[in-house]
Amino acid sequence: VKGGQQAVGGGDITRTQLVGGGGDGGGGGPNDAVDYFFRAKGAYGLSTPIELCLSASKLRDLDIISKSDPMAVVFTKRRDGKLEELGRTEVVMNDLNPTWIQKINITYQFEIVQPLIFHVYDVDSKYHNLSTKTLKLHDQDFLGEASCVVSEIVTKQNRSLSLNIHNGRGRGNLGTLTVRAEETVASKNAVEMTFRCSDLENKDLFSKSDPFLRISRIAETGGFIPIYKTEVVNNNLNPAWKPVCLTMQQFASKDNPLVIECFDFDDSGRHQLIGKLQKSVAELETLYQTKTGANFSFPGRREKVLKGKIFVDGFVEKQLYTFLDYVSSGFELNFMVAVDFTASNGNPTSPDSLHYIDPLGRLNSYQQAIMEVGEVIQFYDSDRKFPAWGFGGRTPNGSISHCFNLNGSPSDFEVVGVEGIMSAYTSALHNVTLHGPTLFGQVINKAADIASHSVFAQQPKYYVLLIITDGVVSNLQETMDALVKASDLPLSILIVGVGNADFKQMEILDADYGRRLESSTGKIATRDIVQFVPMREVHSGQIPVVQALLEELPSQFLTYVRSRDIKPLNVSQAYA
């Protein structure tokens, strides 16, 4: 139920959203870091960004005492026939006719055929407090699939296409999936509004209503497109909700009418309408300025004006700058690297070791990771000078160190380029004995210290610590303490797992499960700063390497700068 009561949609990337709430599994917006990387490599094309709005009807009911909890996943089919995931919607609880709010952003390329495959799943209730991106699809019940090509959607007069859902082999009529395409508006304008209501009608018998708002835009082609659902406020007829951030892409213009509906939440999925009204963003701004409320009405043969009112207690127009706005204005990204030298990697002289140096020149798992990851990170690093450390090894002086300079220098920890990392790594393998235990704390604290000095000096820099490891952590709580402490700083941690170990501990550190890390003293991380990438999934073709590495960096970066009102350097009062 908690997952189903979460807010969905809007332009606020700083809010963690769970299954049943906002699906943050890749459909939340285009990743301009990935796009910029490919464009810099000459990968241009005739293309336009569009977003897909999905709804379904008459889905199969696979639940016994309730209805299915559907989630849609969108794939494209690659040239080799394999499916590549493009994004996921949120999960809608107990609904066989869902209209998903989470949109799927894709790039429509005119010159190529772009097959889309839509899978619909019934998500088991035990997963309802997790982020949708963490769900293993094979653990969910398959409700059916549909397919088309992008051009079939965009060439329709209303840019809407209804597809038959079948069992994956073309058999059966398992419902209908409707896909609507809308071109993405390139605008940074957004409004943040704070809503509250008074004197709502009580729909519950033994308690008070549990109200939430659903906001929809009236489309030019007709019909309503839901763009936001607030969180549920339990047992309250005078609720106030957290601020709602809507982008120009969502509300189109300040004069475009929005439909605001207030519902009483029911965990069966049969939410009762309390009342509705129609207002544009401009009219909502007037409510804020005049400090007056607007009455809800209840539809029927004769529309009934209700006592319940909605008020706008906050209204702020803002600019939502993108990741590229900051990078192109001179905001520097600085990468740091730490390599695992613990004994769990295996004896470097054995061909089975992850650290084995092949005399024929074949790269080991660490060298592959350094080369593949390095190509991406050095593209974004402004000076290509990387602080590089090792941890968990016995150094030449006989001491066991959990943060030693990879190049062997007693004072200088920087190396130049990927070649410098590779050279320092190979040299260290001849001079450092693999040992243990595996402790990330010291290298994280070292990186945090560098980031902290940058903040003190008011430098426009953001740091990314890349940790390459085989996945066996000796002291998880120490690592969590270091991460919580570092979460206030301009720092992200990218953990790359090599080998075939069990990476469950790494996944705990990546706060994609709807729960932020907590230190041993009870302090909660201010934001998620960890991303975990298992290289075996990259090598198996499940995730493109560039997308895997840069998936969360833009949102982590933007969460930091927006929470501190730091603007791009070419904007007045840029760094405060």
Side-chain angles (χ1 to χ4, degrees):
V1 175
K2 181 181 176 183
Q5 293 186 337
Q6 298 291 312
V8 190
D12 183 6
I13 63 163
T14 65
R15 181 177 295 171
T16 301
Q17 298 176 326
L18 309 182
V19 167
D24 55 354
N31 189 321
D32 52 359
V34 174
D35 181 61
Y36 184 48
F37 178 86
F38 283 124
R39 284 180 175 272
K41 300 292 183 182
Y44 289 90
L46 293 172
S47 62
T48 186
I50 61 175
E51 64 175 21
L52 303 179
C53 315
L54 306 180
S55 61
S57 61
K58 299 180 180 179
L59 295 177
R60 286 191 296 165
D61 189 1
L62 298 186
D63 292 352
I64 298 174
I65 59 175
S66 61
K67 295 188 177 72
S68 294
D69 306 314
M71 172 183 75
V73 185
V74 184
F75 301 88
T76 186
K77 184 174 286 187
R78 301 191 321 211
R79 290 181 180 177
D80 60 6
K82 291 183 178 180
L83 298 183
E84 179 181 319
E85 184 175 323
L86 299 177
R88 304 180 180 190
T89 66
E90 77 277 15
V91 176
V92 179
M93 289 178 59
N94 296 310
D95 197 339
L96 304 182
N97 303 286
T99 297
W100 289 284
I101 293 177
Q102 186 72 48
K103 310 300 187 286
I104 309 298
N105 286 270
I106 67 172
T107 299
Y108 169 44
Q109 295 176 282
F110 305 93
E111 74 276 18
I112 63 174
V113 176
Q114 294 174 273
L116 295 178
I117 291 84
F118 304 89
H119 286 186
V120 183
Y121 294 89
D122 174 19
V123 175
D124 193 292
S125 59
K126 68 182 179 183
Y127 299 106
H128 281 196
N129 282 318
L130 304 181
S131 162
T132 53
K133 66 180 279 188
T134 66
L135 296 181
K136 305 296 184 186
L137 296 181
H138 57 74
D139 292 335
Q140 317 307 324
D141 292 323
F142 183 63
L143 293 177
E145 76 171 58
S147 60
C148 67
V149 295
V150 177
S151 57
E152 287 183 86
I153 309 170
V154 299
T155 53
K156 290 282 185 182
Q157 188 172 5
N158 61 356
R159 293 193 176 184
S160 181
L161 182 67
S162 292
L163 304 167
N164 178 52
I165 299 174
H166 54 81
N167 64 359
R169 295 181 294 275
R171 298 177 183 172
N173 184 1
L174 307 180
T176 301
L177 181 77
T178 300
V179 188
R180 180 196 291 266
E182 292 206 323
E183 193 169 336
T184 301
V185 178
S187 172
K188 299 177 177 63
N189 295 332
V191 294
E192 184 176 276
M193 296 176 284
T194 305
F195 293 108
R196 70 174 169 88
C197 288
S198 68
D199 300 316
L200 294 179
E201 183 179 348
N202 192 14
K203 296 289 185 179
D204 293 347
L205 189 60
F206 299 109
S207 61
K208 295 175 183 175
S209 294
D210 308 311
F212 69 91
L213 300 177
R214 184 175 70 186
I215 304 173
S216 302
R217 179 179 79 246
I218 298 178
E220 290 182 11
T221 53
F224 301 94
I225 299 174
I227 58 176
Y228 195 87
K229 175 177 80 74
T230 68
E231 75 280 6
V232 174
V233 178
N234 288 314
N235 201 34
N236 198 326
L237 301 182
N238 299 284
W241 290 276
K242 294 177 182 176
V244 172
C245 185
L246 299 179
T247 65
M248 181 75 83
Q249 164 67 22
Q250 293 168 312
F251 61 80
S253 79
K254 291 183 73 171
D255 297 320
N256 194 49
L258 300 177
V259 176
I260 303 176
E261 299 166 292
C262 185
F263 290 93
D264 174 27
F265 177 85
D266 192 314
D267 55 18
S268 70
R270 294 188 291 270
H271 312 306
Q272 286 185 277
L273 179 67
I274 296 175
K276 65 187 294 186
L277 53 80
Q278 184 171 307
K279 294 285 182 186
S280 67
V281 171
E283 290 171 325
L284 292 172
E285 183 178 17
T286 300
L287 291 183
Y288 168 71
Q289 292 170 340
T290 59
K291 293 184 167 37
T292 56
N295 292 84
F296 284 108
S297 61
F298 197 87
R301 286 186 178 179
R302 295 183 63 182
E303 191 171 71
K304 179 183 177 183
V305 177
L306 303 174
K307 182 181 178 183
K309 290 184 176 183
I310 189 169
F311 295 84
V312 183
D313 285 347
F315 188 99
V316 179
E317 294 189 62
K318 55 169 62 176
Q319 294 276 302
L320 295 182
Y321 298 104
T322 67
F323 175 74
L324 282 189
D325 287 333
Y326 287 91
V327 173
S328 60
S329 76
F331 218 99
E332 294 182 20
L333 289 179
N334 295 95
F335 285 82
M336 304 175 271
V337 181
V339 179
D340 186 338
F341 278 78
T342 57
S344 57
N345 288 282
N347 189 331
T349 61
S350 168
D352 295 332
S353 171
L354 295 173
H355 280 308
Y356 178 65
I357 302 295
D358 192 320
L360 298 178
R362 284 178 295 196
L363 302 180
N364 66 30
S365 297
Y366 279 84
Q367 289 171 316
Q368 285 183 46
I370 291 170
M371 289 293 289
E372 293 177 8
V373 174
E375 181 197 6
V376 178
I377 65 174
Q378 77 173 4
F379 172 80
Y380 275 102
D381 195 287
S382 49
D383 61 5
R384 295 183 70 242
K385 292 181 179 178
F386 303 117
W389 304 290
F391 58 92
R394 187 187 296 275
T395 58
N397 64 10
S399 65
I400 298 167
S401 174
H402 301 295
C403 185
F404 58 88
N405 295 341
L406 199 62
N407 59 10
S409 168
S411 56
D412 185 15
F413 47 66
E414 285 191 335
V415 298
V416 179
V418 176
E419 311 81 23
I421 302 174
M422 290 287 279
S423 175
Y425 164 73
T426 305
S427 175
L429 278 179
H430 292 107
N431 299 310
V432 176
T433 305
L434 302 192
H435 203 275
T438 307
L439 301 174
F440 291 169
Q442 288 191 28
V443 290
I444 293 174
N445 289 334
K446 182 73 172 178
D449 187 54
I450 293 173
S452 179
H453 279 86
S454 173
V455 172
F456 183 75
Q458 294 194 339
Q459 296 172 327
K461 292 184 177 182
Y462 192 87
Y463 294 85
V464 181
L465 171 62
L466 169 67
I467 300 176
I468 309 176
T469 179
D470 71 341
V472 182
V473 183
S474 303
N475 190 331
L476 193 62
Q477 189 59 58
E478 180 210 49
T479 303
M480 291 170 67
D481 288 348
L483 290 172
V484 171
K485 183 180 177 182
S487 66
D488 285 325
L489 296 169
L491 175 67
S492 286
I493 315 286
L494 177 58
I495 302 175
V496 172
V498 296
N500 296 310
D502 184 349
F503 288 126
K504 284 184 179 176
Q505 287 184 315
M506 298 295 99
E507 292 170 351
I508 291 171
L509 299 177
D510 191 342
D512 287 337
Y513 287 80
R515 185 176 179 180
R516 288 181 180 170
L517 297 179
E518 183 176 344
S519 73
S520 54
T521 61
K523 182 183 178 184
I524 305 295
T526 56
R527 61 193 181 96
D528 173 23
I529 65 169
V530 177
Q531 181 187 355
F532 171 65
V533 178
M535 289 304 287
R536 63 182 176 220
E537 291 186 12
V538 172
H539 292 149
S540 68
Q542 295 182 44
I543 326 169
V545 62
V546 178
Q547 181 179 328
L549 296 172
L550 298 178
E551 182 180 20
E552 295 182 20
L553 177 58
S555 62
Q556 291 179 358
F557 173 90
L558 290 173
T559 301
Y560 176 79
V561 293
R562 288 179 183 174
S563 66
R564 286 154 179 79
D565 198 28
I566 299 172
K567 299 179 177 62
L569 300 182
N570 52 7
V571 177
S572 60
Q573 297 178 337
Y575 202 89

